[in-house]
Amino acid sequence: MNFKLVTHSPALTETACVVLPVLQDGSLTQSGEALNKATESLISQMVERGDFQPKLGRTFLLPFAPGAEAQRILLVGMGEAEKLTGQKFRQACHAAYQQLAQLSVHDALLTLADTPLKNRDTAWKLRLMAEEAETSFYRFTEFKSSPPEEQQPAELAFYWPDNQEANEGETALKQGRAIGQGKNLARTLGNRPGNVCTPIHLAETALELIGKDPAFSSRILDEVQMAELGMNSLLSVGKGSDQPPRLIVVEYQGAEDKEAAPHVLLGKGITFDTGGISLKPGEGMDEMKFDMCGAASVLGALEVVRQLRPRLNLVFMIAAAENMPSGRASKPGDIYTTLSGKTVEVLNTDAEGRLVLCDALTYAERFNPATVVDIATLTGACIIALGHHATGLLSNDDQLAAALLEAGIDAEDRAWQLPLWDAYQEQLDSNFADLQNIGGRPAGTITAACFLSRFAEKFRWAHLDIAGTAWHSGKQKGATGRPVALLAQYLLDLDAAL
């Protein structure tokens, strides 16, 4: 799907379909008024007669557009102007793209960025439209024996007024496209079944992404190398599986100063989580293929970086393993010495994400990082606390937390901060080791982060719990690609601050 900017009036643009926003009171944008005039008030008549009620996300197709150069006009309801938010703007864009997919048109011109949106400029709206275009037409059909034909336009044009700087528009399109494709990569990895998407598959995907690009370098640690280092906690999670664990490390050098401290993104990559000996209930266990969505989001962010080239030094890390029960698997009560030297009593083998991440956090120390952000589908408690709308955020650094929260707001991929107070740490006290891997039912998301914080004492660190945001269940089951947009915005903000 090709993207391009169009600067002349949509009323004079030849296209299979022009997409126009309409506010709930019937008011049109400047582009809409021009088209309405060209069609002898056809659009306003449809609204005034009540044929189209422009509530948020509703669409109405005018199959003919006499007087305009467009073959069709697709009206998109934007809802009430004073209540329009970035998230609602995204909903309207998604509705438009879904309707375009059903029309199977070759090309379309979108003018939704004309819609007034408080505190958001045209470039922001254009970027979100490009991102949403990539994600709205996404279909996961790898395992369909007769996949349906793609129903997406070959070309999307976006109206960009000629009184605005063209470079800003091109940059917005490029960023939105990269973020959308990064999200789709994360979705594809998450949607692949556990018999395909294994720790080795994640490693191979990382290597394929960077290819022979000289800005990137990689190292993949196998179980022998990790054992030599003393990464016993990470290895303990994969003991019951025939799929060997991997620590995946990709370095990107984009800063002028090669010695500049890198920013680290670390993803939990449990490619399937049965719970191990602490076996999960069978119902819904198929969704535990999504337990590697933290790793998928790191690879999605890697794809964004590969396209946009921020002026940063970065490290992308994935702690990958499969958590299975067997005669070799870890048992409740087992104690392991981590890479840091601290000992952990494993009271529940289903609290395995923190066991792979703690060794990876210690490994990150060797990079002398400026910041470390880990991303993990870590706790069901986060779903109870925040539902499926916000990612949980905990951090040992207020400035880093604020940067991530702001990035989430700007990217419409929001997070919410929970406390990381010392008072919660005592829930991890163990009679037999330095700490135990669970802290009981109260504040489960917080105590999980408290566990990780014990291994992040030497750098600025934040934890993103995406258990509630990484995938959808039910009829729309599938990975969401979150929080790739948040991570991408965070990196772009760091670049912009240089």
Side-chain angles (χ1 to χ4, degrees), residues 8 30 43 59 81 133 135 182 205 230 259 288 292 299 335 389 405 428 430 442-443 467 477 481:
H8 46 275
Q30 186 174 352
I43 298 169
T59 59
T135 58
T205 301
E259 302 301 319
M288 289 302 97
M292 42 61 68
L299 291 175
I335 295 176
H389 300 290
L405 289 170
L428 298 173
S430 166
K477 185 187 296 182

Side-chain angles (χ1 to χ4, degrees), residues 43 163 279 399 419 458:
I43 298 169
N163 63 348
L279 192 67
Q399 187 176 0
K458 297 183 179 179

